[in-house]
Amino acid sequence: MYLKKISLLNYKSFSEANFEFNTKINCFVGKNGVGKTNVLDAIYHLSYSKSYFNPLAVQNIKHGEDFFMIEGTFEKSEQTENIICSLKKGQKKMLKRNNKIYEKFSDHIGFIPLVIISPSDIDLIVEGSETRRRFLDSILSQLDKKYLKSIIDYQKILSQRNALLKYFALNHVFENDTLAIYNEQLEAIGQPIFEKRANFIKEFIPVFNKHHQTITNSNEKVQLVYESQLSKQSLTHLLTENLAKDRALHYTSVGVHKDDLLFEIDNYPIKKFGSQGQQKSFLIALKLAQFEFVQAQSGEKPILLLDDIFDKLDETRVSKIVSMVNNNDFGQIFISDTHPERTENIVKSTQQSYTLFNL
């Protein structure tokens, strides 16, 4: 997988910009606010059909403009692939591959494997369980179309069940037979989701541990723990047991939409007991494990985006990451940094071809 060129029109801070890439490592350097991260986010957009940093699509349009367009030319399996993502205010976002419009964005997910490492990843630690579930689902969805469809179907049924619970409360009625239909559907979809997540984490943990030990010289003991209500009881049993609670809350309080991924250091939450450096090492190991897992499953080296990656990391950790880049396990890499000299010194040591874009 190789990005040859990208064009931006009215995207975030850019009125118009064009970049061509002929090297393995591509670095965007310059002061804060010049748009380095926006270029990386545009690349992410072409892979996931959305921004990594701002999920509200209309807010990615440059101020004062009515639309944005991102166009990228990729080389995949010796074929040229043209991807366009665009949005006009008041209209639906459009995604095209080789001039053919995708009817469903989900059909595109996984076509351009990509992993991003960013300071924003700290949300995985400090935010709630939904953020960590999204991370889990984003990996599995890139590799398994059936899983992605299951997640979409589960959310639809969950919304319908929640709407029914609200209807019961507002109208002071209750129809157990109707609710039972949604319960059965949630069980049928939810159980396989739980099993796929559990199996994935089992395979993912050794890969994560390997990268974490490399980054930290094996000095820290960390844990990834998959937490699900379904690990002890069936969803049908949980829904029956929590019916009174759900009716009082007007929404479904149990199911795989409540799953969590616990991040621990020495058996304690890393959110409370990990230093800033330890948290960042944990997150980088998590993303490098994601990279390796996606590569192994898809047979392709994902594009790797490193946004402001070297900020707040000590020299030892930086050198470990650079040594990983140098072992040729990685494909094309895009880096953003505020220090041109630091960036150039780092990428020079990889002995790989690189280009610096000064913004």
Side-chain angles (χ1 to χ4, degrees), residues 93-280:
K93 191 193 295 181
M94 189 178 294
L95 187 66
K96 293 195 288 187
R97 174 187 165 198
N98 299 330
N99 291 319
K100 187 177 178 181
I101 297 172
Y102 279 102
E103 289 184 18
K104 296 183 292 184
F105 290 171
S106 58
D107 290 340
H108 179 67
I109 302 302
F111 182 70
I112 300 172
L114 178 147
V115 174
I116 184 169
I117 304 178
S118 163
S120 298
D121 296 337
I122 193 65
D123 288 350
L124 285 166
I125 289 175
V126 301
E127 297 292 334
S129 59
E130 184 182 353
T131 307
R132 291 180 288 279
R133 279 195 307 277
R134 273 203 308 267
F135 168 72
L136 199 55
D137 290 341
S138 71
I139 301 175
L140 284 163
S141 296
Q142 277 199 78
L143 303 169
D144 188 340
K145 294 286 185 190
K146 280 175 134 184
Y147 180 85
L148 178 56
K149 185 179 185 306
S150 293
I151 290 293
I152 293 167
D153 290 345
Y154 182 91
Q155 289 298 332
K156 280 182 187 174
I157 297 162
L158 182 66
S159 296
Q160 290 167 348
R161 187 180 192 270
N162 289 344
L164 188 63
L165 289 166
K166 287 175 187 173
Y167 173 82
F168 289 161
L170 288 170
N171 294 278
H172 306 287
V173 295
F174 179 70
E175 299 166 13
N176 191 57
D177 290 348
T178 309
L179 196 65
I181 294 170
Y182 292 116
N183 291 358
E184 287 171 14
Q185 291 176 332
L186 284 178
E187 166 74 33
I189 300 173
Q191 184 63 30
I193 289 174
F194 161 71
E195 289 169 4
K196 284 185 180 180
R197 284 176 177 172
N199 289 334
F200 165 74
I201 290 299
K202 192 176 177 181
E203 293 178 32
F204 188 77
I205 286 172
V207 183
F208 163 75
N209 285 336
K210 178 189 72 176
H211 284 292
H212 191 271
Q213 286 168 6
T214 303
I215 294 169
T216 63
N217 282 326
S218 305
N219 288 331
E220 298 160 5
K221 186 184 175 186
V222 292
Q223 296 86 26
L224 271 180
V225 182
Y226 174 46
E227 189 176 68
S228 178
Q229 297 161 326
L230 272 70
S231 61
K232 294 178 181 177
Q233 293 177 305
S234 71
L235 185 51
T236 299
H237 185 85
L238 286 165
L239 291 169
T240 303
E241 197 176 60
N242 289 274
L243 177 58
K245 183 181 177 182
D246 289 358
R247 289 182 67 183
L249 293 171
H250 309 165
Y251 65 81
T252 309
S253 62
V254 291
V256 292
H257 59 289
K258 295 293 182 180
D259 287 359
D260 201 354
L261 195 56
L262 308 182
F263 298 164
E264 297 177 347
I265 184 164
D266 295 324
N267 297 308
Y268 292 98
I270 199 167
K271 178 180 178 179
K272 292 182 179 178
F273 295 92
S275 68
Q276 199 173 53
Q278 287 171 326
Q279 290 180 357
K280 195 147 192 179

Side-chain angles (χ1 to χ4, degrees), residues 64-96:
E65 303 295 342
D66 293 324
F67 74 98
F68 80 72
M69 185 175 78
I70 312 164
E71 181 174 5
T73 303
F74 295 84
E75 192 176 283
K76 179 175 179 175
S77 304
E78 300 183 359
Q79 296 285 325
T80 298
E81 302 283 353
N82 181 262
I83 308 294
I84 296 176
C85 187
S86 61
L87 175 69
K88 189 170 184 178
K89 285 182 180 176
Q91 297 182 13
K92 286 185 177 181
K93 191 193 295 181
M94 189 178 294
L95 187 66
K96 293 195 288 187

Side-chain angles (χ1 to χ4, degrees), residues 293-353:
F293 202 88
V294 171
Q295 180 182 355
Q297 297 293 317
S298 68
E300 290 190 68
K301 293 177 181 177
I303 290 171
L304 181 62
L305 308 180
L306 303 177
D307 178 36
D308 202 15
I309 190 66
F310 304 114
D311 188 36
K312 295 173 186 168
L313 274 187
D314 58 55
E315 245 178 76
T316 305
R317 286 177 166 89
V318 169
S319 65
K320 290 289 181 185
I321 295 165
V322 169
S323 68
M324 290 180 198
V325 172
N326 201 28
N327 66 11
N328 278 325
D329 285 341
F330 292 94
Q332 197 177 21
I333 300 169
F334 295 86
I335 298 172
S336 70
D337 193 16
T338 51
H339 298 78
E341 287 182 11
R342 172 174 67 181
T343 306
E344 189 154 20
N345 287 336
I346 288 167
V347 297
K348 264 184 182 176
S349 69
T350 66
Q351 300 176 343
Q352 306 282 352
S353 60

Side-chain angles (χ1 to χ4, degrees), residues 2-3 21-26 332-334 353-355 357:
Y2 206 89
L3 176 61
F21 308 113
N22 302 303
T23 52
K24 177 173 179 174
I25 302 175
N26 301 275
Q332 197 177 21
I333 300 169
F334 295 86
S353 60
Y354 69 91
T355 305
F357 297 89

Side-chain angles (χ1 to χ4, degrees), residues 6-27:
I6 192 169
S7 300
L8 315 179
L9 194 59
N10 299 330
Y11 185 71
K12 296 193 172 185
S13 60
F14 291 97
S15 294
E16 188 174 358
N18 300 282
F19 301 98
E20 292 192 13
F21 308 113
N22 302 303
T23 52
K24 177 173 179 174
I25 302 175
N26 301 275
C27 310

